[in-house]
Amino acid sequence: GKTTLAKEVFQRNMKCEVYAVESINETSADSVKINSDDFAELQSKMLLEDDLIIDIGSSNVEGLINQISQYYGSQDEFDYFVDPVIPENKQISDTAQTILHLVESMGVSPNKIKIVFNKVQSQDTLNTKFAPIMGLLKELKIENNTTFVLDTPYYSEIANTINYGLAPSDEESKLSNIDYVVSSYNDFRSKAVDYMKKSKASENLDEKEKFKTLAEQYSKLAIISRLGVRVLENLDEAFNELFPTNKKAKK
């Protein structure tokens, strides 16, 4: 969920560019992509921009950290280090090691570290599912530098709809934008009803089937749109919890 968070939690609120540090195609198409070896270019960009989101691909974390260590003090150019973690043992262990490396080896202030607990079933499970991270954050006295994103079928529903051609062709390119999906509920619902009426009224079998398919597709999008409303609320709450006093967070 790292790239989704970069785009839909941070970019939606900050209205700035995303730089994706990656060597494989693991980020969204609307971000600027560079390799971890191009850290000098990235530093230059950070110096020139007031606000910038750096989306570090999982295959590039080690390489980028090595690059940062070669440029003395370059870690200070980052205002915050945001680390998402899901409730699985390996990811929790890796996240704990990342936090410790940032603080102990790179000299990053603990207050600059923010944790996003991702794919959370309910807020009540945070202290049990993520107990090792919670304990570490308490030791570092930054236990309030956290937020959570609830597990949701929204993204899998959208992905399946796009990947399997289950949406009307003129909608497919727009469905990666959650704001569009949520704001289009009335339109989706209206089109679903209209196409079903046309299907029932048509005496041409091919046309009847075509209209019925479109009605079902728009009906499905309307249902997904309803899911998206709660997702957007959660994403905006997550941003505001991480940066409660900042209208705009940086880098």
Side-chain angles (χ1 to χ4, degrees), residues 55-246:
D55 178 12
I56 305 172
S58 57
S59 61
N60 284 266
V61 173
E62 184 176 356
L64 187 65
I65 286 176
N66 289 336
Q67 288 284 310
I68 291 173
S69 66
Q70 293 182 39
Y71 290 85
Y72 177 78
S74 58
Q75 70 274 12
D76 296 332
E77 290 299 324
F78 294 87
D79 293 304
Y80 301 103
F81 293 82
V82 182
D83 200 342
V85 56
I86 61 175
E88 294 184 11
N89 290 336
K90 184 181 187 306
Q91 280 72 18
I92 289 172
S93 175
D94 289 347
T95 298
Q97 292 301 315
T98 298
I99 294 169
L100 288 172
H101 187 81
L102 288 170
V103 174
E104 296 176 355
S105 300
M106 298 176 63
V108 172
S109 169
N111 289 323
K112 298 177 88 173
I113 298 172
K114 307 281 188 178
I115 303 299
V116 179
F117 298 113
N118 197 14
K119 295 189 176 181
V120 175
Q121 292 297 325
S122 73
Q123 186 175 4
D124 296 335
T125 66
L126 290 178
N127 288 318
T128 55
K129 294 289 186 180
F130 299 98
I133 301 295
M134 288 295 203
L136 177 57
L137 297 180
K138 188 173 183 178
E139 285 182 30
L140 295 172
K141 298 180 180 179
I142 55 169
E143 58 264 39
N144 293 326
N145 284 18
T146 67
T147 190
F148 66 94
V149 174
L150 294 169
D151 197 14
T152 173
Y154 174 83
Y155 295 107
S156 61
E157 291 283 355
I158 284 290
N160 289 337
T161 299
I162 295 173
N163 294 338
Y164 295 106
L166 303 179
S169 57
D170 59 344
E171 297 289 349
E172 284 187 1
S173 62
K174 307 172 190 175
L175 297 181
S176 60
N177 185 328
I178 189 171
D179 291 288
Y180 172 77
V181 175
V182 169
S183 65
S184 298
Y185 170 76
N186 289 332
D187 183 52
F188 293 155
R189 188 180 188 283
S190 176
K191 287 180 177 177
V193 172
D194 287 346
Y195 278 120
M196 184 54 71
K197 288 179 180 178
K198 289 180 179 179
S199 176
K200 291 178 178 179
S202 177
E203 296 181 358
N204 182 293
L205 291 180
D206 290 339
E207 190 176 63
K208 182 184 286 288
E209 190 61 30
K210 174 185 174 183
F211 288 147
K212 182 181 178 183
T213 297
L214 285 168
E216 291 171 345
Q217 289 177 332
Y218 275 109
S219 176
K220 178 70 171 178
L221 291 181
I223 294 169
I224 293 175
S225 177
R226 284 177 166 169
L227 269 177
V229 173
R230 297 303 184 202
V231 175
L232 271 187
E233 289 176 352
N234 183 203
L235 296 180
D236 288 339
E237 286 172 1
F239 183 84
N240 291 328
E241 285 180 355
L242 288 183
F243 305 105
T245 60
N246 292 1

Side-chain angles (χ1 to χ4, degrees), residues 17-62:
E17 198 168 38
V18 174
Y19 253 59
V21 181
E22 63 166 16
S23 56
I24 58 177
N25 186 25
E26 57 185 20
T27 57
S28 59
D30 56 355
S31 56
V32 180
K33 297 178 178 64
I34 65 170
N35 192 280
S36 58
D37 293 336
D38 300 322
F39 185 56
E41 175 189 339
L42 181 59
Q43 287 185 85
S44 177
K45 185 71 175 177
M46 292 170 70
L47 286 169
L48 296 174
E49 296 290 339
D50 291 329
D51 298 315
L52 193 65
I53 300 164
I54 313 299
D55 178 12
I56 305 172
S58 57
S59 61
N60 284 266
V61 173
E62 184 176 356

